[in-house]
Amino acid sequence: MVSVLVVDDSVVVRRLIVDALSADPGIQVVGTAPNGKVALSKIDMLKPDIVTLDIEMPVMDGLTTIKEIRKVHPRLPVIMFSTLTSVGASATLEALASGASDYVTKPANVGSVSESIKSVREQIIPRIHALCRTGGPSRMGAVRPAPRPVAPLARPAAGGTSVPQVVAVGCSTGGPDALTKVVSALPVTFPLPIVVVQHMPQVFTKMFAERLDRASALKVVEAQANMPVQAGMVYIAPGDYHMEVNRRGNGVFTNLQQGPPENFCRPAVDVLFRSVAAVYGGAALAVILTGMGQDGKRGSEVLSGKGAEIVAQDEATSVVWGMPGAVTGAGLAHAVLPLNEISHHLINRVAGGRTARS
């Protein structure tokens, strides 16, 4: 049984969250709090397994609260509740940078209480199970096998060289912080384009790209349609759009489309990875960072079949070992690395070496 503390200044929202969570027999709400100050005392008293935390509250807001929680409880999972606005997105990204585990968006323009409860339930229950590692989406019941040894790729990469021409990254829960650590450690001379799917809604992806750009030597943008894919650039897929790459003449360009969600996601990592496989073949290096679910597994299968290299973040440094765990469990990962080794591996690979541990 997972115990949850619900923190929100609105009585209506607290009731809505409690009702949404009551649908799961494996979850018990052990307490509620109207602000962060009360929440801090209740955390010590109730010792919940996870906390849901509103951002805008009187007395002590969510940003201050998450910082205080992390001083005493560095590993306690915390899910932020955010609005789908620029202000809400900015505050949420700040909360994630301050140690929040994940976030969900508050229902907007929903016609009934039952629809609001359904919206919250569909977002938050899988995250609770994943973050608390209760056999939910993060674990998938898979046995963790040893990663592939680092060796010559199964097939020669495009152009007769194993040195990659593009880096493709997929991430979700915990991804903003993980991606920031990887990208910010790359030098301005990093010679490859980086294409990224981070599961995020509209508004959030634009602000995340701007935030990552400020933290990085490389130029980071939210992708737009028909942008040339160029060395030294990082392209973040925009919320609610699948991002692909396609070749036209001698160049490679971004393509955005709103086809059906895959793995319940749009953008989806699988969509991006399939297009990268079609354009770059074995001259691609794919990285699967922390995230809930299995998005990226099927795309990694296609990339691996072309001879591309797959790197997965390890379990110990992942917020949720769902996506990288799925790829590793399928035997697709050439290397499973701690987060702090991934940027070094990328730098070494573009120089023609291999440093990954098996």
Side-chain angles (χ1 to χ4, degrees), residues 93 96-97 101 167-187 190 193-200 204-223 233-238 243 267 269 272-273 285-291 311 313 317-319 323 338-340 342-344 346:
L93 291 171
L96 292 172
S101 309
V167 176
V169 183
C171 44
S172 184
T173 309
D177 182 61
L179 191 63
T180 298
K181 285 182 169 63
V182 171
V183 173
S184 65
L186 298 175
F190 190 76
I194 302 174
V195 288
V196 179
V197 164
Q198 161 68 52
H199 296 157
M200 274 185 169
F204 281 64
T205 47
K206 183 176 187 297
M207 301 200 75
F208 175 56
E210 292 170 351
R211 187 182 185 94
L212 184 56
D213 181 61
R214 292 193 294 269
S216 308
L218 301 176
K219 179 64 178 175
V220 183
V221 297
E222 182 189 51
M233 293 283 294
V234 181
Y235 303 84
I236 308 290
M243 181 172 71
V269 180
L272 174 64
F273 279 15
L285 200 165
V287 179
I288 302 289
L289 299 175
T290 174
V311 175
Q313 185 177 349
T317 62
S318 294
V319 174
M323 289 164 54
L339 181 62
N340 64 1
I342 292 175
S343 57
H344 176 69
L346 297 180

Side-chain angles (χ1 to χ4, degrees), residues 17-245:
I17 296 171
V18 171
D19 289 346
L21 295 181
S22 67
D24 191 303
I27 295 174
Q28 179 184 15
V29 176
V30 294
T32 62
N35 59 63
K37 185 176 181 180
V38 174
L40 292 174
S41 64
K42 288 201 172 185
I43 288 171
D44 292 334
M45 178 176 62
L46 299 172
K47 295 180 171 51
D49 296 315
I50 192 167
V51 176
T52 71
L53 182 61
D54 189 26
I55 291 179
E56 298 180 14
M57 297 181 293
V59 184
M60 182 182 289
D61 64 16
L63 288 176
T64 304
T65 305
I66 184 61
K67 293 173 184 176
E68 292 300 313
I69 288 173
R70 285 294 171 251
K71 291 178 182 177
V72 183
H73 306 282
R75 299 186 66 83
L76 176 65
V78 177
I79 299 176
M80 308 302 296
F81 264 81
S82 172
T83 55
L84 273 172
T85 64
S86 295
V87 172
S90 178
T92 301
L93 291 171
E94 181 64 31
L96 292 172
S98 298
S101 309
D102 202 0
Y103 67 94
V104 297
T105 54
K106 291 184 176 180
N109 301 318
V110 176
S112 70
V113 173
S114 62
E115 289 177 359
S116 296
I117 291 173
K118 181 175 181 288
S119 174
V120 171
R121 181 188 301 132
E122 290 175 347
Q123 290 187 77
I124 198 168
I125 287 178
R127 286 171 167 81
I128 288 174
H129 284 300
L131 290 166
C132 293
R133 292 175 165 60
T134 56
S138 71
R139 309 300 288 174
M140 300 166 297
V143 177
R144 181 183 181 184
R148 285 187 198 172
V150 179
L153 301 180
R155 299 180 186 176
T161 174
S162 62
V163 177
Q165 297 174 11
V166 69
V167 176
V169 183
C171 44
S172 184
T173 309
D177 182 61
L179 191 63
T180 298
K181 285 182 169 63
V182 171
V183 173
S184 65
L186 298 175
V188 69
T189 54
F190 190 76
L192 303 184
I194 302 174
V195 288
V196 179
V197 164
Q198 161 68 52
H199 296 157
M200 274 185 169
Q202 288 179 309
V203 181
F204 281 64
T205 47
K206 183 176 187 297
M207 301 200 75
F208 175 56
E210 292 170 351
R211 187 182 185 94
L212 184 56
D213 181 61
R214 292 193 294 269
S216 308
L218 301 176
K219 179 64 178 175
V220 183
V221 297
E222 182 189 51
Q224 300 176 19
N226 298 313
M227 296 181 78
V229 178
Q230 298 175 330
M233 293 283 294
V234 181
Y235 303 84
I236 308 290
D240 202 34
Y241 284 85
H242 291 308
M243 181 172 71
E244 301 169 311
V245 294

Side-chain angles (χ1 to χ4, degrees), residues 326-342:
V327 169
T328 303
L332 297 168
H334 291 79
V336 181
L337 300 177
L339 181 62
N340 64 1
E341 293 185 18
I342 292 175

